[in-house]
Amino acid sequence: MSRVVTLLMAGLVCQVGILPAQGYRLRLDTRMQGVSWRGLTSDSVPIGEAIAQPNGGFLTSDGHAATCDERFCHFFRTGNSLRGVPVVSQADLTAWGFGVSGLRLRVNARYTTDLGEATQFPGTEPEVQLVEGYLEYARNQFTVQAGRQYLPGRLGAYGLDGARAGWRQGVTGFEAVAYGGWGLARGSVLPVTSAELNPLDDFQPRDRQIVAGAQLRWSGRGIDLSSEYRREVDPATDFFVSERVAGSLAIRPLDRVTITGGGIYDLAFGQWGTADAAVTWMAPLATVSVGGRRYRPFFDLWTIWGAFSPVPFHAYHGSVTTSPLPGLVLRARGERYEFEATETSTPLVDVKNSGWRFEGGATWQPVSAWTVGVGHQVEVGPGAQSRGVDGRVDWRPGEPFTLGVHAASVRRPLELRFSDAQLTIYGADAEWQPNPRWRLGLGLTRIEEERNRPDAGALDWNQMRFVARVTLFHGTEVDRPRLPRAIRSGGTR
């Protein structure tokens, strides 16, 4: 399969170079990673062989925590070490000059596979995935796209197999966009009917949803406005899958002050969704921002998750970034959040409904060849908390070389789970870019995890990861104006 993909890409590159005025840009990126992890094996014993514990649980005779029914006790024991070698190759092509002014082709595709022997690494099926692939025709104030494309906006980046048309008026700053077609699953380049996205069996839609929507934007002096409407329909039943509307606003009342905000209303559920607002002040030596947000998860009507009535949380945050000395940047951000009442009762468990998080760090560049960065993160919330530190040092001994080392540690006391965990990561990487057309990268990382689990099911997740990356840039020089001959030759005419 990899040879087939390579031949197809080579043929495409040859084709885009046929016409004299034709041009193209091609970026090929291949990454390979070697990773190993500990597997699990399910097992069971007759209930008579299990040992009842004072807390109501059960242990096997060799110390594994088990869940028992009327006849058997089921548990997981340590399995064999599994090794995966995932490989991802991605091609990003833009071509123009097909004899029609304003016409261009955009293709972004990836090929994934696992060269390991024991198992299939997650995310490597299907092997060939089309991320984007469309024709675009732009002329004066109009733009039309047809094919697979992504629609950015406050409603989220959404994949679409269809058409998109836009009209803009440069004098007034107004832009209108309309689109329609067959949708992709959220967060994926696959349709929702794909077998790779089938965790719910009978609840999965049998047909792809039909998507239609529109966007309006206006930019004026010191103000930006945008709105968006999107609906999805199941063609098998003509029922709505989702229907939402969103709006965004950015105001610059003063030279250094920006006020931003926006929100989403879910028409299908009849409730407000995610919303946010912030004020940012950019001073000569510092940038300060304060604001708040409200987050409510969004679910399609075909899923069962909306029946659980998830509640939103409200958060208030502040951040500051400053550079008191040349080469030194300090940053800090804090947030306090609280969930709304769930209208449920848990008389035997007292669970918090609020929490806070903080992150801070510094980046220091004492000389142009060295960069040092450190960070610290703390989060204390309902049911869990974590504390971590990280650091990185980069050295650029010459223009084409970059060498770096990194380390991080995270402590996760899991209040509502079975065990605590301490995760430590450290490694090194290198990058070499001898010219703008290609780049090589290598990395080696050691991951160590300690779990404070009191039974025999404690696992060893320690592992080494090796990463290799090759990036190639290829294209014509049609769109790059050449320097005058006098400048290129070093003389004057």
Side-chain angles (χ1 to χ4, degrees):
M1 177 61 74
S2 60
R3 292 184 178 179
V4 174
V5 174
T6 302
L7 291 175
L8 289 175
M9 291 180 179
L12 184 58
V13 172
C14 294
Q15 289 295 321
V16 298
I18 292 178
L19 297 178
Q22 199 170 55
Y24 69 95
R25 291 285 182 81
L26 177 64
R27 180 179 184 270
L28 297 175
D29 186 274
T30 299
R31 305 186 186 190
M32 181 182 70
Q33 183 177 185
V35 58
S36 63
W37 66 96
R38 180 69 65 183
L40 295 175
T41 301
S42 60
D43 203 347
S44 64
V45 297
I47 190 172
E49 299 181 9
I51 304 172
Q53 301 299 300
N55 60 2
F58 291 88
L59 287 178
T60 64
S61 59
D62 56 355
H64 287 83
T67 301
C68 302
D69 53 29
E70 295 180 356
R71 298 179 57 190
F72 294 96
C73 290
H74 306 272
F75 63 97
F76 289 95
R77 65 170 66 252
T78 302
N80 296 326
S81 179
L82 304 177
R83 292 179 175 84
V85 187
V87 179
V88 179
S89 296
Q90 189 152 357
D92 193 328
L93 171 70
T94 301
W96 62 94
F98 298 99
V100 178
S101 179
L103 182 66
R104 76 180 181 111
L105 170 69
R106 172 72 192 282
V107 177
N108 189 333
R110 63 172 173 249
Y111 169 75
T112 64
T113 188
D114 186 2
L115 302 181
E117 300 178 355
T119 184
Q120 187 72 31
F121 196 81
T124 55
E125 289 289 342
E127 290 186 334
V128 179
Q129 301 177 13
L130 179 62
V131 181
E132 282 186 310
Y134 60 85
L135 281 173
E136 179 186 86
Y137 176 74
R139 195 69 175 176
N140 298 327
Q141 298 172 334
F142 296 92
T143 301
V144 179
Q145 295 176 348
R148 174 163 295 185
Q149 51 200 290
Y150 268 81
L151 308 170
R154 178 167 282 271
L155 293 178
Y158 191 85
L160 176 74
D161 287 337
R164 175 181 180 270
W167 176 78
R168 57 192 173 276
Q169 174 55 257
V171 177
T172 62
F174 178 78
E175 181 181 3
V177 176
Y179 55 86
W182 294 268
L184 301 176
R186 285 191 295 139
S188 174
V189 297
L190 303 176
V192 72
T193 55
S194 172
E196 303 300 327
L197 303 175
N198 188 14
L200 301 178
D201 296 324
D202 293 339
F203 295 99
Q204 186 183 31
R206 296 296 177 254
D207 298 297
R208 295 181 62 178
Q209 64 270 23
I210 298 176
V211 182
Q215 298 173 329
L216 298 176
R217 303 187 186 96
W218 178 73
S219 297
R221 184 181 298 273
I223 184 171
D224 295 323
L225 293 172
S226 66
S227 61
E228 182 176 358
Y229 170 80
R230 181 185 300 163
R231 65 161 56 178
E232 303 175 59
V233 178
D234 185 350
T237 61
D238 288 333
F239 290 159
F240 277 84
V241 173
S242 69
E243 187 180 23
R244 296 187 296 165
V245 63
S248 301
L249 169 67
I251 304 176
R252 293 172 291 277
L254 301 173
D255 290 340
R256 300 182 181 275
V257 177
T258 302
I259 303 174
T260 59
I264 300 173
Y265 186 76
D266 194 330
L267 298 171
F269 279 92
Q271 60 188 12
W272 285 100
T274 300
D276 61 80
V279 179
T280 302
W281 174 55
M282 300 182 64
L285 296 179
T287 298
V288 181
S289 179
V290 294
R293 62 189 180 108
R294 177 183 189 268
Y295 174 78
R296 182 195 291 272
F298 163 70
F299 301 105
D300 296 321
L301 292 179
W302 65 265
T303 71
I304 65 173
W305 300 112
F308 293 93
S309 301
V311 299
F313 70 78
H314 303 264
Y316 306 95
H317 59 82
S319 64
V320 57
T321 302
T322 181
S323 181
L325 299 174
L328 178 63
V329 177
L330 305 177
R331 63 186 184 277
R333 186 183 190 278
E335 183 177 66
R336 174 76 179 182
Y337 61 91
E338 182 176 359
F339 286 88
E340 293 185 0
T342 61
E343 300 180 0
T344 59
S345 176
T346 56
L348 301 180
V349 180
D350 184 15
V351 180
K352 297 180 180 179
N353 65 346
S354 62
W356 59 273
R357 56 175 64 97
F358 170 83
E359 57 180 321
T363 302
W364 179 44
Q365 191 172 15
V367 293
S368 59
W370 289 90
T371 302
V372 181
V374 294
H376 176 56
Q377 308 84 32
V378 180
E379 181 169 356
V380 179
Q385 60 176 303
S386 66
R387 300 176 184 271
V389 294
D390 62 83
R392 181 176 179 86
V393 178
D394 288 315
W395 177 48
R396 296 175 178 84
E399 184 65 26
F401 294 98
T402 300
L403 304 176
V405 295
H406 59 90
S409 179
V410 179
R411 179 70 177 176
R412 299 185 297 128
L414 307 180
E415 298 175 5
L416 300 184
R417 303 183 186 180
F418 196 75
S419 59
D420 297 347
Q422 175 76 34
L423 185 67
T424 303
I425 304 173
Y426 51 91
D429 51 65
E431 186 177 280
W432 180 41
Q433 187 173 5
N435 58 66
R437 291 189 177 273
W438 61 290
R439 179 189 305 147
L440 299 176
L442 296 174
L444 185 64
T445 301
R446 172 69 175 176
I447 301 176
E448 298 179 354
E449 185 180 46
E450 300 178 4
R451 294 206 171 195
N452 183 21
R453 179 165 174 161
D455 74 327
L459 304 178
D460 176 15
W461 292 90
N462 299 343
Q463 59 183 271
M464 295 287 292
R465 292 194 177 190
F466 172 77
V467 179
R469 178 182 179 183
V470 179
T471 303
L472 301 177
F473 301 91
H474 192 62
T476 60
E477 306 295 332
V478 175
D479 63 335
R480 298 179 183 178
R482 303 188 65 185
L483 294 175
R485 181 183 301 176
I487 298 178
R488 287 186 279 118
S489 62
T492 59
R493 294 185 61 186

